[in-house]
Amino acid sequence: MKKGELSHLARSGALLSVRVTPKAARNQVEERDGQLRVSVTTVPEDGKATKAVIKLLAQALGIAKSRLVLTQGATSRDKVFRVD
């Protein structure tokens, strides 16, 4: 996904539901049926996969990583992020 391709979702205060696939073959962000699916090559230990998701998602949204706040799902594959 190109940088800023999902910029229409980057409204301040928006909640983004994300389904994460760790240890994937490649890093990618895709929008399917209104839900975001993020695949990362990072292993899900010590929050490494979550950090990779934040980096990849921020890039796809065209915003700074610091604007994404994890509100639910720190250790789950289903996460909810808030855009500040």
Side-chain angles (χ1 to χ4, degrees):
M1 182 160 283
K2 296 178 184 175
K3 184 174 183 175
E5 194 168 318
L6 295 175
S7 61
H8 64 281
L9 299 175
R11 296 180 318 271
S12 184
L15 294 177
L16 305 173
S17 296
V18 178
R19 177 73 172 184
V20 177
T21 304
K23 291 174 49 178
R26 63 178 175 254
N27 291 328
Q28 71 179 21
V29 178
E30 58 185 355
E31 188 176 13
R32 262 197 237 158
D33 301 325
Q35 184 176 16
L36 292 173
R37 294 183 156 290
V38 180
S39 301
V40 292
T41 57
T42 314
V43 294
E45 59 183 33
D46 300 328
K48 292 178 186 175
T50 301
K51 288 178 185 176
V53 167
I54 290 172
K55 181 179 178 181
L56 199 59
L57 189 57
Q59 189 175 31
L61 292 169
I63 60 174
K65 293 185 296 186
S66 60
R67 288 191 57 199
L68 284 176
V69 178
L70 180 64
T71 59
Q72 290 179 349
T75 59
S76 172
R77 291 181 63 187
D78 295 312
K79 301 181 183 303
V80 177
F81 291 96
R82 184 182 73 239
V83 179
D84 280 346

